[in-house]
Amino acid sequence: MTFTVAIIGRPNVGKSTLFNRLVGKKLALVDNTPGVTRDRREGEGSISNLHFRVIDTAGLEEKFDDSLEGRMRRQTEIALEEADVALMLIDARSGITPLDKHFAGWLRKSKTPVILVANKCEGKSGMPGLMESFSLGLGEPLALSAEHGEGLGELFDMLLPFEKTGEDAGDGAEDEPEKPLQLAIVGRPNAGKSTLVNYLIGEERMLTGPEAGVTRDAIAIEWEYEGRAIKLVDTAGLRKRARVQKKLEKLSVADSLRVIRMAEVVVLLVDAEETFEKQDLTIAAHVIEEGRALVIAVNKWDTVTDRQGTLKLIRDRLSISLPQVRGVPVITLSALSGRGVDKLIPKVLEIYELWNTRISTSKLNRWLEFMLEQHPPPMAKGRRLKIRYMTQVKARPPTFSLFMSARGELPESYLRYLANGLREDFNLPAVPIRIFPRTGKNPYVDKD
């Protein structure tokens, strides 16, 4: 990315719609409810061949205290400091409001160059607001419709001077960077997910507070741990399905579930003060069903008096409710004080390596021969099912094909026997193992 663009404005002027348009994906939640965006969100934006980093910010409110709105405002101030240029959006259909005037005055004092963008200019309804925006003292406004993609050519022309070339942009001779590990932090509302993310990266990047459900969007942060690139994603709290009623909350939950599907390792953050509830187990089961590697992190551990009993309770519930995945690591920590947090990422990296495990076909079939001797397949229609060979078809998670000589269904109990054997003999705790029975010829037998 050669330069950074921050999108700024009061609530509900279309900032997230423009962000999604520039990054070419629906990354930010968009709804008519004011104040949907609370944390600043980053993405790789482009218009034609012009590429840049783009930051979506919370709607500006005239609050300077420690309220949620005040904390959101500080996040926007940080984004403005990081940006090479800011786009101040106004809603041309609504016209100029006192809040627009207030923040235009604030932006005029900033060192960051500002481009005034009159959004929602499709048709003629936005023309009065477009003309009125000259009064903000931020220069000639750019007429745009983020929803319909109108005016992007003009925005390209206005952003082009900020493109860094030559030495400023680097010589391009560096090796291609390592692909970051995709790590999602999930859990119920108020478990401390954003506090944990802030502690890990060493800055107040995510909004936190006593209010439940502060985070609404899934926010991705590019981070590095001891030279290892990690894409850290903080998510909205996942409530029980029956409690998810409002449209906005449904969007947030759908966004969090999408993040789990895209992740490689998922940290399920559990509130130690509320033990390990059914909803935590539901989230854990969903992570496993999606084939992701799982780490349990128990937060607020410094408040627990019976630590041994609490750990036993968690492990017992995991073994009963998630028998398909044994050995899920449980890390105890305090995201607020940082105690125990240093154990988390090393464990994540360890589980990630296991999730990528590959076993050679020769080793696998020597192991299979032993397993079949110990416990032969069951009978089906009066004949014993015959398993010919096994091969690993992919990693991430470890997935195997089990070739059989004749049609007949292996019972789940036998597949579980093989999966548990793989887990134990090849050291594969905490990651899902998938085995798919198939019929067909053995490609490893020489043809005549």
Side-chain angles (χ1 to χ4, degrees):
M1 300 300 102
T2 60
F3 65 103
T4 300
V5 178
I7 304 173
I8 290 171
R10 64 178 175 81
N12 229 31
V13 293
K15 297 183 298 298
S16 293
T17 303
L18 179 57
F19 175 86
N20 286 344
R21 171 73 60 181
L22 293 174
V23 300
K25 301 174 187 174
K26 290 187 178 180
L27 292 181
L29 292 186
V30 177
D31 192 70
N32 291 329
T33 311
V36 172
T37 303
R38 287 174 169 175
D39 294 284
R40 66 188 195 273
R41 172 193 286 279
E42 300 176 8
E44 297 177 8
S46 64
I47 306 174
S48 186
N49 62 345
L50 181 66
H51 299 274
F52 46 86
R53 173 174 165 243
V54 59
I55 308 175
D56 184 22
T57 64
L60 282 166
E61 303 270 11
E62 199 172 354
K63 292 285 180 75
F64 300 90
D65 54 14
D66 284 330
S67 65
L68 180 59
E69 292 79 8
R71 302 198 303 272
M72 287 159 64
R73 179 196 167 91
R74 285 200 292 275
Q75 289 284 314
T76 301
E77 289 172 349
I78 293 168
L80 185 63
E81 287 171 12
E82 290 181 4
D84 296 292
V85 57
L87 305 180
M88 181 184 170
L89 260 64
I90 62 136
D91 182 341
R93 288 188 304 209
S94 301
I96 301 304
T97 68
L99 208 52
D100 290 323
K101 290 178 181 176
H102 173 81
F103 291 114
W106 172 60
L107 287 170
R108 283 199 302 271
K109 296 172 189 173
S110 166
K111 293 177 183 176
T112 306
V114 179
I115 296 171
L116 178 61
V117 178
N119 191 28
K120 307 183 186 179
C121 272
E122 62 274 13
K124 295 181 180 178
S125 59
M127 288 309 294
L130 176 68
M131 301 312 294
E132 193 184 351
S133 65
F134 276 92
S135 66
L136 294 175
L138 292 171
E140 184 177 348
L142 166 66
L144 186 114
S145 170
E147 189 173 353
H148 297 93
E150 297 172 11
L152 290 179
E154 290 78 3
L155 182 57
F156 174 92
D157 293 335
M158 297 187 83
L159 290 177
L160 194 57
F162 296 96
E163 183 179 30
K164 294 173 185 173
T165 56
E167 292 180 6
D168 290 334
D171 58 11
E174 294 179 13
D175 293 334
E176 190 175 326
E178 182 183 21
K179 194 176 178 184
L181 186 157
Q182 307 283 324
L183 174 61
I185 312 289
V186 304
R188 288 183 287 128
N190 235 26
K193 298 181 294 296
S194 296
T195 304
L196 176 60
V197 170
N198 285 344
Y199 191 89
L200 285 170
I201 65 176
E203 63 170 284
E204 292 297 311
R205 176 64 179 79
M206 305 299 302
L207 281 177
T208 59
E211 308 92 344
V214 171
T215 301
R216 283 175 170 171
D217 281 287
I219 303 295
I221 300 163
E222 301 288 346
W223 179 56
E224 199 172 274
Y225 174 82
E226 295 184 357
R228 180 68 166 93
I230 295 177
K231 191 171 188 178
L232 197 58
V233 187
D234 184 20
T235 61
L238 290 164
R239 298 178 192 268
K240 290 180 183 175
R241 190 183 293 267
R243 293 184 185 173
V244 179
Q245 295 172 340
K246 294 179 183 176
K247 178 191 172 189
L248 183 55
E249 193 169 0
K250 286 181 180 177
L251 288 171
S252 293
V253 169
D255 204 27
S256 297
L257 296 177
R258 175 188 62 81
V259 168
I260 290 173
R261 284 196 300 274
M262 300 299 290
E264 295 170 322
V265 183
V266 175
V267 171
L268 170 56
L269 196 63
V270 177
D271 188 336
E273 295 174 334
E274 298 182 26
T275 63
F276 202 63
E277 295 193 349
K278 187 179 178 183
Q279 177 63 0
D280 295 315
L281 287 166
T282 301
I283 297 168
H286 182 74
V287 171
I288 299 306
E289 282 166 19
E290 291 291 347
R292 309 302 99 184
L294 177 64
V295 176
I296 307 284
V298 186
N299 192 21
K300 307 177 188 177
W301 192 244
D302 44 355
T303 65
V304 177
T305 49
D306 182 12
R307 295 184 173 182
Q308 215 168 2
T310 303
L311 267 179
K312 186 178 184 305
L313 174 71
I314 291 169
R315 290 196 169 113
D316 286 350
R317 287 189 176 175
L318 280 172
S319 63
I320 293 166
S321 300
L322 293 175
Q324 68 273 40
V325 179
R326 294 181 180 177
V328 174
V330 178
I331 305 293
T332 58
L333 52 86
S334 168
L336 198 58
S337 70
R339 190 169 184 180
V341 176
D342 59 323
K343 298 178 290 184
L344 181 61
I345 302 303
K347 184 56 69 176
V348 164
L349 295 173
E350 181 186 320
I351 295 301
Y352 173 76
E353 291 303 319
L354 294 176
W355 189 65
N356 279 276
T357 295
R358 283 198 172 273
I359 305 168
S360 71
T361 302
S362 56
K363 272 187 183 177
L364 204 51
N365 283 285
R366 282 197 298 272
W367 169 84
L368 179 63
E369 192 177 337
F370 171 78
M371 293 295 284
L372 295 176
E373 284 175 7
Q374 294 295 308
H375 188 173
M379 304 285 281
K381 296 178 183 178
R383 297 175 62 186
R384 188 168 298 282
L385 293 170
K386 189 172 182 182
I387 296 172
R388 288 181 178 272
Y389 76 105
M390 191 177 195
T391 186
Q392 184 170 359
V393 291
K394 74 180 197 74
R396 307 163 62 88
T399 304
F400 304 88
S401 279
L402 193 65
F403 285 81
M404 301 167 63
S405 59
R407 294 196 177 275
E409 283 192 17
L410 275 176
E412 278 297 317
S413 58
Y414 198 80
L415 291 174
R416 203 157 47 242
Y417 159 70
L418 293 175
N420 289 337
L422 282 168
R423 193 179 303 288
E424 191 171 328
D425 296 333
F426 292 101
N427 186 31
L428 293 171
V431 297
I433 291 175
R434 292 173 170 172
I435 302 175
F436 296 106
R438 294 178 60 186
T439 56
K441 293 180 180 178
N442 187 345
Y444 296 93
V445 174
D446 292 333
K447 294 179 181 179
D448 294 331

